[in-house]
Amino acid sequence: GAGVSQTPSNKVTEKGKYVELRCDPISGHTALYWYRQSLGQGPEFLIYFQGTGAADDSGLPNDRFFAVRPEGSVSTLKIQRTERGDSAVYLCASSLGPTFEQYFGPGTRLTVT
Amino acid sequence: ILNVEQSPQSLHVQEGDSTNFTCSFPSSNFYALHWYRWETAKSPEALFVMTLNGDEKKKGRISATLNTKEGYSYLYIKGSQPEDSATYLCAFIPSTGANNLFFGTGTRLTVIP
């Protein structure tokens, strides 16, 4: 079956612009996670959805970052007023629940110039 | 922020050699430990989810052990092959809110043909 997909695969934007990153999870997976990986680091947790609601958004770095999952499936990570420090690979993962293995998408590489 | 450490950071082995690396995590408040393999240009792929002290899991030539009392897990690869070349990530879930994975920085394995 289809895995987790993310679009776009690469995004280059200018400092100050707004970007949206999309994640399509595996059908039936109620749990969805966003992570950010900077060079030389492991993935860093951003936000976790259980169904439509953000069950844990403690990893979002500041109020420029926001994510939605309105119908409990596709999720969009939104970054306002992008900064060069936002440049990273943004990974999405889905699972059957918090204690199950997570299935990752290929990531979106965001470059802020 | 929970401290999850992996060692070594990188490793080069000859094809056919067996190898192992370590993941250290907080021994208190343990819930689960995940191992992932991340090949370049691909998505992280789940290897194991481990929950019980003394757990040993095996998938082909790869196996893992877990010691929750002392806070470490070992990943073993027997008879390394070039296709095993990847970054191996461990991720810890604490019992205080099992919502997200705390990743280590990974061990980058290169198997030389």
Side-chain angles (χ1 to χ4, degrees):
Chain A
V4 178
S5 62
Q6 291 186 247
T7 54
S9 54
N10 278 285
K11 176 72 177 179
V12 181
T13 191
E14 291 179 350
K15 180 174 177 294
K17 299 288 189 185
Y18 168 83
V19 295
E20 289 190 352
L21 311 180
R22 176 187 167 108
C23 172
D24 266 286
I26 291 173
S27 177
H29 281 190
T30 56
L32 185 146
Y33 305 80
W34 283 99
Y35 296 90
R36 175 170 72 174
Q37 194 205 20
S38 302
L39 197 62
Q41 303 295 317
E44 174 194 17
F45 168 75
L46 295 176
I47 187 169
Y48 156 61
F49 287 90
Q50 182 59 42
T52 60
D56 184 348
D57 64 359
S58 61
L60 295 177
N62 51 59
D63 62 5
R64 296 186 297 105
F65 288 74
F66 189 70
V68 295
R69 194 186 185 198
E71 296 177 2
S73 178
V74 171
S75 176
T76 305
L77 178 67
K78 308 180 181 196
I79 310 175
Q80 297 178 321
R81 305 182 304 280
T82 52
E83 299 177 357
R84 291 195 180 89
D86 298 335
S87 297
V89 174
Y90 288 81
L91 289 166
C92 173
S94 70
S95 78
L96 290 171
T99 58
F100 291 85
E101 62 186 2
Q102 296 188 9
Y103 293 82
F104 283 83
T108 293
R109 181 175 295 278
L110 175 66
T111 304
V112 182
T113 61
Chain B
I1 295 179
L2 296 174
N3 199 26
V4 180
E5 295 184 350
Q6 291 189 247
S7 63
Q9 273 192 319
S10 66
L11 189 57
H12 288 72
V13 301
Q14 290 292 135
E15 181 176 353
D17 286 352
S18 295
T19 188
N20 65 84
F21 20 94
T22 306
C23 172
S24 301
F25 52 85
S27 56
S28 59
N29 301 321
F30 175 86
Y31 191 84
L33 187 87
H34 292 214
W35 280 100
Y36 290 86
R37 173 170 58 200
W38 196 355
E39 296 177 64
T40 303
K42 294 186 178 179
S43 310
E45 171 198 357
L47 290 173
F48 306 112
V49 176
M50 309 181 81
T51 55
L52 296 175
N53 183 45
D55 252 357
E56 288 191 31
K57 296 214 171 179
K58 187 175 180 182
K59 184 184 283 191
R61 294 179 291 98
I62 304 177
S63 59
T65 60
L66 179 68
N67 183 325
T68 60
K69 295 187 185 308
E70 296 183 39
Y72 65 83
S73 176
Y74 293 138
L75 190 81
Y76 299 91
I77 303 179
K78 185 177 177 182
S80 303
Q81 298 297 308
E83 58 265 31
D84 296 329
S85 297
T87 296
Y88 291 82
L89 291 163
C90 70
F92 170 76
I93 301 181
S95 58
T96 51
N99 294 327
N100 58 278
L101 301 174
F102 291 88
F103 281 89
T105 53
T107 293
R108 181 179 292 277
L109 174 68
T110 303
V111 181
I112 303 164

